[in-house]
Amino acid sequence: MTEAFRSLKLVPKAESPQSAKEFKTDQEVRWCPGCGDYAILAAVQSFMPELGIRRENTVFVSGIGCSSRFPYYMNTYGMHSIHGRAPAIATGLAASRPDLSVWVVTGDGDALSIGGNHLIHALRRNVNLKILLFNNRIYGLTKGQYSPTSEVGKITKSTPMGSLDAPFNPLSLAVGAEASFVARTIDSDRQHLQSVLRAAAEHEGTALVEIYQNCNIFNDGAFEVLKDPNTRDEALIRLEHGQPMVFAGQGVFRGADGELHVAEVTEANRSEVLVHDVHHPSAARAFALTRIADADTLHHTPIGVLRDVRRPVYDTLMADQLEQAASAKGAGDLAGLLTGADTWTVS
Amino acid sequence: MTSQVDQSEAVGGSDGEGQGAAPPPSGGRSRPAKPIRRLDRVIIRFAGDSGDGMQLTGDRFTSETASFGNDLSTLPNFPAEIRAPAGTLPGVSSFQLHFADHDILTPGDAPNVLVAMNPAALKANLPDLPRGAEIIVNTDEFTKRALAKVGYAADPLADKSLEAYHLHKVPLTTLTLEALKESGLARKDAERAKNMFALGLLSWMYHRPTHGTETFLRQKFAKKPEIAEANISAFRAGWNFGETTESFAVSYEISPAELPAGTYRNISGNLALSYGLIAASQRSGLPLFLGSYPITPASDILHELSKHKNFGVRTFQAEDEIAGIGAALGAAFGGALGVTTTSGPGVALKSETIGLAVSLELPLLVVDIQRGGPSTGLPTKTEQADLLQAMFGRNGEAPVPIVAPSTPADCFDAALEAARIAVTYRTPVMLLSDGYLANGSEPWRIPEVEELPDLRAEFATGPNHTLEDGSEVFWPYKRDPQTLARPWAIPGTPGLEHRIGGIEKQDGTGNISYDPANHDFMVRTRKSKVDGITVPPLEVDDPSGEARVLVIGWGSTYGPITAAVRRVRADGGKVAQAHLRNLNPFPANLGAVLKAYDRVIVPEMNLGQLALLLRARYLVDAQSYNQVRGLPFKAAQLADVLFAAIGTLEGDEQND
Ligand SMILES: Cc1ncc(C[n+]2csc(CCOP(=O)(O)OP(=O)(O)O)c2C)c(N)n1
Ligand code: SF4
Ligand SMILES: [Mg+2]
């Protein structure tokens, strides 16, 4: 059995090795054929045994959307809740049950539109939650309206002349919301996806994992440039902690203006290529990295872990306060509480 | 009759039979040689600027009165603004206290004594005073400017406009400053102790024990001993002033009330409710999880529960009301006693999650401390206009049991009752208190822990269903045949892994189902479950057995209605009374009770919400009597309504 993942210290270990099959349910999966959600589901199911924890101590909580059907297909405990509220529900569960591994599955509309408030507050609190944000840059379940991550000018049923509002960059938002762990991966790259899940499970506190997910019905090919063997090497920056950020002969540099930018790597500038440091205490570097991709072409999209810093975890702090109170005042005495200090007796 | 007492809660003429010998004086000090008059009850209202410390003064007088053993009932009334403009009518804050040597039910209709710290306090409260009431004013504040600010053209203390009252003109500020001149405090700080001077004076007038207040002040200002001592000096100076000055010729004694034997404390509704939640957690063995977002008048419960982490209580101040209930529901899924506390606007935000809880069939307590609405309404005032919101305020057929406490102390038992229903039937439950109960207080007989209901909950531990092929499985929606409750299987239980959600579920398996017949069945089953909750039968109080008029209420109107009923009966009227605590489901005998009377009167602090339900459900001609003034009913007002109802019936007879 592997060493326990750091965020799962308090979760009971599995008694014997598990298989991906054990994590499948008997429910028929009902996404559209070809939907990116299938690949993510398979990647997660085959990753779970690696955690080495009891299946019954794992919980998937989701909101509403195509992606949020996810818990029905995971043979763990699960709750398919209401639109946008999964982070709040999962917060209550994780904060009261440190012996559980709690995962949130959400979509770009679910997490960033109706549930934006819960997302940012979960991130700043740093509750021990792993949030998987399936970003297909569209509202899938409601049949194809633009979402808060859709590019400006998006033509959809609700925006026949093009959408007007500028999108969120989910990872910029997360870094701004004090997230302690921020990563990005792609539905079709199982190996990469699982490496990111591994890092998220290792992280103590809230981990936000943005997964670029193809909706082949309403937004097909949204991430094709990152997947097509002919373009992907040019488009993707595969981040590795401690490694220089280089790809296809290019590298990430800090310019004279202080901004990060991409340039060709030459003999002269090779030593100036920035080395990726996920633990860098300043959020500015991570924020700059989240901004480096071209929002329209997706060129220079970093994938992998952008930020992974240690910060006190809400549920641990809460449990500590309970313990402190009990050791300072003694375990609660109900009769004493009800009686209080000012009483009189009638006989 | 003594001059101080009106008739608002008179019981069978027991009022003021007391020219009899006064018992030996009580209180910590030697008594003055002034005459002592005995009263059976008094209503005092302290009124001043929001910055004058009137709530604290009232609280202290209440504590002294409680420890003396009187029955009591209080009505704090304060502006929504934290620092409303000084000296203005909207800035007036008041605290009314009714105390007696017998059992009383309301803070009283009309004060016998008004303490007015400034012209605004006088002007705002004068309309409530009966002729002959005593008024104690702080003359120092009756300056030209202050008078002008509230529209007094002439000084009411100088002209004859207060002739109908016993006016005591006391320069409270000057006297306080004089008492504190040795204290070394800056004038501004010293002045602030004038409320304690007033409290001392009133404590002398009514023979209140003073020890508790001195201890309280020392504790409250433990970090600023000079302020503590100044307040105590002002308090004592007020007491001595009463004893020596000629302006106060008599003092009054109100004997302790004869309450049922037991140990008592004074308790407000919000405190009682908080304790009820902790007791429910202890008695159920479920750790308490509160998810809440601050809102008046519910925040005190969040504050109180936050103090009791040593009971394993987790309090979570969420980013909004939706997250508050979401977190509570998540905790309930994990096996906690999930609670969310709020007021009407917060319930509106929580509606969708309450619906989810109905569908998930998990225990959850939703506490609504109602306040004046709609929208922000009157945040610090009381109302009971959320009944229909609690009953119907969700999409789809989403029945939720409702429990409403009737007095501040009853908030404790109501919390336990709500928890019983939630845990037994696996359902969200609405607990409807209101601002009047929340902030009002009364003596509470402290229960023994063993007397409290046993709420132990059982989690599912293994399979509960055998398939045709003989295999054993767990079905999350297979119900208990008695209660129709589904099993509560919490994460961490091996073999019971299951998924639940807001989408309609197949009966038994809990799998997603869009089958029309199944949906119809599930909707009806959820309703049957709530309809089938066992609740105690409705008790009717009709000592004569001959009443033809029934008055029925719910929630915090219990006190005023009961006081009105006593008045009517004292004057020979026959009226039956019933009070609903369980509003969903209603007690099984409610229909029969309603049909047994010729007239049914329903007083409510809304525009007729219970009456609407009674009419719809039982086809009775229930008649509403409504008030939405942000204040509780007065007993006299309701007594008139009941007399009128009795009168019309008699009139009918004559016409027959
Ligand atoms: C309160 C509420 N409002 C609206 C909806 C309708 N609705 C369901 S899913 C959804 C958007 C889903 O988009 P996203 O989160 O991106 O998920 P996807 O389907 O793309 O995976 C909307 C608007 C709802 N279910 N509940
Ligand atoms: S609509 Fe799009 S996101 Fe939803 S299941 Fe179909 S392909 Fe997947
Ligand atoms: Mg989407």
Side-chain angles (χ1 to χ4, degrees):
Chain A
M1 202 101 290
T2 47
E3 259 307 286
F5 280 78
R6 247 194 298 136
S7 81
L8 304 174
K9 278 182 311 218
L10 301 176
V11 183
K13 308 283 159 294
E15 270 139 30
S16 49
Q18 300 156 328
S19 66
K21 198 163 160 264
E22 282 174 66
F23 284 89
K24 296 190 171 125
T25 64
D26 60 358
Q27 296 299 294
E28 186 194 341
V29 183
R30 296 211 190 170
W31 289 307
C32 307
C35 174
D37 290 350
Y38 283 97
I40 304 174
L41 176 64
V44 172
Q45 284 169 334
S46 70
F47 167 73
M48 293 312 284
E50 230 188 88
L51 294 178
I53 55 170
R54 294 198 190 169
R55 195 157 47 83
E56 65 267 23
N57 285 73
T58 308
V59 186
F60 278 80
V61 182
S62 65
I64 296 289
C66 296
S67 37
S68 287
R69 291 298 180 95
F70 200 90
Y72 288 116
Y73 312 132
M74 291 297 299
N75 193 10
T76 62
Y77 283 85
M79 188 195 293
H80 178 217
S81 73
I82 44 178
H83 203 17
R85 317 302 172 195
I89 292 169
T91 292
L93 181 61
S96 56
R97 291 285 307 270
D99 61 325
L100 301 179
S101 168
V102 182
W103 298 72
V104 169
V105 175
T106 179
D108 43 321
D110 195 59
L112 299 168
S113 220
I114 193 165
N117 198 30
H118 307 308
L119 180 74
I120 57 175
H121 287 277
L123 293 172
R124 90 176 155 82
R125 282 191 193 102
N126 206 29
V127 186
N128 200 3
L129 296 177
K130 312 303 158 206
I131 303 177
L132 310 183
L133 195 172
F134 293 21
N135 183 6
N136 53 15
R137 306 188 76 180
I138 202 80
Y139 284 181
L141 190 67
T142 45
K143 302 205 166 116
Q145 301 83 0
Y146 80 112
S147 92
T149 57
S150 298
E151 58 278 17
V152 178
K154 184 97 182 159
I155 308 267
T156 71
K157 279 184 214 140
S158 64
T159 51
M161 294 172 70
S163 61
L164 303 172
D165 30 348
F168 270 137
N169 176 328
L171 299 192
S172 301
L173 181 77
V175 172
E178 309 291 346
S180 57
F181 182 101
V182 174
R184 177 185 288 134
T185 184
I186 301 179
D187 54 4
S188 52
D189 188 343
R190 176 182 296 204
Q191 219 187 351
H192 189 266
L193 202 159
Q194 291 186 336
S195 74
V196 167
L197 294 180
R198 204 168 290 125
E202 188 66 33
H203 176 76
E204 290 170 291
T206 311
L208 180 78
V209 178
E210 180 186 25
I211 306 176
Y212 280 161
Q213 173 243 326
N214 192 39
C215 167
N216 54 310
I217 302 295
F218 297 112
N219 202 18
D220 195 23
F223 306 104
E224 199 46 36
V225 62
L226 306 178
K227 298 179 176 185
D228 182 338
N230 297 319
T231 55
R232 68 182 175 201
D233 294 339
E234 291 264 356
L236 282 178
I237 310 178
R238 292 177 174 271
L239 300 174
E240 297 277 353
H241 174 65
Q243 298 298 319
M245 293 185 270
V246 288
F247 62 105
Q250 307 187 79
V252 177
F253 297 88
R254 186 178 297 285
D257 58 358
E259 302 278 343
L260 298 193
H261 59 90
V262 172
E264 203 165 310
V265 180
T266 62
E267 275 318 308
N269 69 10
R270 186 174 298 279
S271 62
E272 285 158 35
V273 175
L274 293 176
V275 173
H276 185 43
D277 177 8
V278 294
H279 308 309
H280 199 287
S282 157
R285 166 80 76 86
F287 186 79
L289 261 183
T290 66
R291 315 294 298 171
I292 207 165
D294 183 309
D296 293 326
T297 64
L298 296 187
H299 273 114
H300 313 157
T301 295
I303 61 167
V305 180
L306 281 82
R307 181 165 170 76
D308 180 1
V309 293
R310 277 207 181 201
R311 205 149 68 67
V313 177
Y314 185 85
D315 19 332
T316 313
L317 296 174
M318 191 182 233
D320 288 350
Q321 283 196 344
L322 262 60
E323 259 176 46
Q324 276 168 27
S327 63
K329 301 198 225 168
D333 160 29
L334 185 57
L337 176 75
L338 302 186
T339 304
D342 269 335
T343 62
W344 72 97
T345 304
V346 175
S347 46
Chain B
M1 276 301 298
T2 52
S3 71
Q4 283 218 331
V5 176
D6 75 354
Q7 279 290 335
S8 67
E9 260 184 46
V11 188
S14 74
D15 259 0
E17 68 210 28
Q19 305 311 336
S26 59
R29 296 142 190 282
S30 66
R31 295 303 306 182
K34 291 181 176 179
I36 297 169
R37 219 172 279 160
R38 191 194 253 190
L39 303 176
D40 68 348
R41 61 199 193 82
V42 176
I43 301 161
I44 299 177
R45 186 181 292 176
F46 296 94
D49 219 32
S50 354
D52 282 342
M54 291 298 95
Q55 301 304 322
L56 176 75
T57 311
D59 274 342
R60 282 319 313 163
F61 197 91
T62 303
S63 291
E64 293 175 358
T65 295
S67 69
F68 182 73
N70 294 124
D71 195 10
L72 66 86
S73 172
T74 67
L75 176 65
N77 190 4
F78 44 87
E81 294 76 17
I82 304 303
R83 293 274 177 268
T88 63
L89 290 173
V92 172
S93 168
S94 71
F95 187 104
Q96 183 163 315
L97 167 74
H98 182 187
F99 60 106
D101 70 357
H102 57 273
D103 135 61
I104 53 168
L105 298 144
T106 73
D109 287 3
N112 311 119
V113 183
L114 171 69
V115 178
M117 302 298 280
N118 65 9
L122 178 67
K123 185 152 193 189
N125 290 288
L126 202 57
D128 294 340
L129 291 197
R131 298 170 73 81
E134 302 203 33
I135 305 177
I136 300 169
V137 292
N138 179 10
T139 52
D140 290 326
E141 293 292 326
F142 280 66
T143 61
K144 259 213 176 94
R145 231 182 116 217
L147 289 165
K149 209 175 213 176
V150 293
Y152 272 124
D155 184 353
L157 307 184
D159 62 22
K160 298 191 166 175
S161 59
L162 298 177
E163 251 180 6
Y165 308 95
H166 293 274
L167 182 63
H168 302 272
K169 295 195 256 186
V170 185
L172 280 169
T173 313
T174 312
L175 290 168
T176 304
L177 289 175
E178 220 166 276
L180 299 183
K181 63 173 183 273
E182 310 286 304
S183 72
L185 285 186
R187 186 190 158 96
K188 230 178 142 205
D189 289 333
E191 241 187 76
R192 292 178 58 128
K194 62 181 185 287
N195 62 333
M196 287 299 113
F197 188 98
L199 179 64
L201 173 58
L202 272 286
S203 301
W204 170 82
M205 264 177 89
Y206 294 98
H207 297 219
R208 301 292 96 183
T210 56
H211 179 73
T213 293
E214 299 200 357
T215 313
F216 167 85
L217 289 170
R218 287 211 171 85
Q219 275 170 5
K220 180 172 167 75
F221 297 109
K223 290 200 183 115
K224 294 179 189 158
E226 69 286 358
I227 302 281
E229 288 315 311
N231 275 290
I232 291 169
S233 301
F235 178 61
R236 288 182 180 163
W239 200 93
N240 292 332
F241 178 76
E243 186 174 332
T244 49
T245 184
E246 305 210 331
S247 158
F248 292 90
V250 268
S251 65
Y252 303 93
E253 170 127 328
I254 297 90
S255 305
E258 278 186 31
L259 300 170
T263 304
Y264 284 80
R265 66 181 285 170
N266 190 53
I267 200 157
S268 71
N270 271 353
L271 187 58
L273 205 153
S274 306
Y275 286 178
L277 294 174
I278 294 176
S281 161
Q282 297 276 306
R283 298 296 287 171
S284 63
L286 304 173
L288 187 62
F289 184 98
L290 173 72
S292 186
Y293 188 76
I295 185 169
T296 305
S299 303
D300 287 341
I301 303 172
L302 168 62
H303 305 163
E304 184 62 33
L305 290 177
S306 303
K307 293 184 206 159
H308 301 293
K309 300 191 198 302
N310 61 324
F311 283 84
V313 174
R314 284 178 157 83
T315 54
F316 172 65
Q317 182 176 318
E319 57 270 24
D320 60 24
E321 290 44 25
I322 303 174
I325 187 173
L329 183 61
F333 183 58
L337 182 63
V339 182
T340 190
T341 49
T342 189
S343 188
V347 174
L349 285 172
K350 293 174 196 293
S351 309
E352 191 191 10
T353 314
I354 298 172
L356 176 64
V358 168
S359 181
L360 298 183
E361 303 193 41
L362 284 170
L364 183 70
L365 299 186
V366 182
V367 180
D368 177 4
I369 314 294
Q370 300 163 95
R371 65 188 212 181
S375 188
T376 306
L378 300 176
T380 60
K381 312 287 176 193
T382 198
E383 204 161 280
Q384 46 180 185
D386 293 350
L387 176 58
L388 295 183
Q389 177 176 229
M391 194 84 174
F392 300 120
R394 289 163 296 282
N395 62 302
E397 296 287 354
V400 170
I402 304 171
V403 179
S406 53
T407 71
D410 187 40
C411 290
F412 178 83
D413 297 306
L416 284 159
E417 166 71 352
R420 173 190 74 87
I421 294 174
V423 170
T424 310
Y425 296 91
R426 314 281 148 82
T427 175
V429 176
M430 281 272 189
L431 187 52
L432 283 185
S433 175
D434 63 30
Y436 169 56
L437 295 180
N439 294 321
S441 65
E442 65 176 350
W444 177 47
R445 193 187 66 78
I446 302 163
E448 298 291 335
V449 169
E450 303 73 56
E451 296 171 17
L452 302 177
D454 179 354
L455 300 176
R456 246 168 310 174
E458 268 179 47
F459 297 128
T461 53
N464 61 352
H465 187 75
T466 312
L467 295 177
E468 266 170 29
D469 68 2
S471 54
E472 302 268 297
V473 292
F474 176 65
W475 274 15
Y477 278 78
K478 181 163 175 170
R479 295 169 191 282
D480 177 298
Q482 225 73 55
T483 60
L484 298 184
R486 73 175 194 91
W488 192 3
I490 64 169
T493 318
L496 307 193
E497 295 84 354
H498 64 283
R499 278 66 51 192
I500 53 178
I503 299 187
E504 187 59 279
K505 289 151 288 281
Q506 187 180 46
D507 178 38
T509 66
N511 292 331
I512 291 180
S513 166
Y514 299 110
D515 175 51
N518 176 74
H519 178 57
D520 188 275
F521 176 80
M522 291 297 273
V523 168
R524 290 173 196 276
T525 304
R526 286 186 288 261
K527 177 157 172 14
S528 300
K529 179 175 85 167
V530 172
D531 288 348
I533 291 170
T534 43
V535 302
L538 182 65
E539 285 175 25
V540 181
D541 178 49
D542 178 14
S544 72
E546 293 168 359
R548 295 175 58 197
V549 172
L550 171 75
V551 59
I552 183 165
W554 68 279
S556 76
T557 51
Y558 174 76
I561 294 176
T562 311
V565 164
R566 284 186 187 173
R567 282 174 162 238
V568 170
R569 289 180 187 156
D571 285 355
K574 294 192 175 94
V575 61
Q577 186 195 354
H579 206 75
L580 286 165
R581 186 176 204 237
N582 294 91
L583 290 135
N584 196 25
F586 283 131
N589 62 335
L590 175 57
V593 167
L594 295 172
K595 295 201 165 96
Y597 295 88
D598 297 328
R599 283 267 190 291
V600 176
I601 309 290
V602 193
E604 290 179 87
M605 295 188 290
N606 59 42
L607 295 186
Q609 302 193 2
L610 174 64
L612 179 79
L613 294 176
L614 297 181
R615 285 168 157 260
R617 186 79 53 89
Y618 301 105
L619 296 176
V620 292
D621 183 19
Q623 289 168 12
S624 267
Y625 179 74
N626 310 114
Q627 163 183 305
V628 279
R629 304 178 62 238
L631 290 165
F633 284 114
K634 294 186 170 176
Q637 169 193 11
L638 292 181
D640 287 348
V641 171
L642 297 180
F643 271 125
I646 296 167
T648 51
L649 272 184
E650 282 161 4
D652 286 355
E653 236 142 60
Q654 279 152 17
N655 295 340
D656 279 347

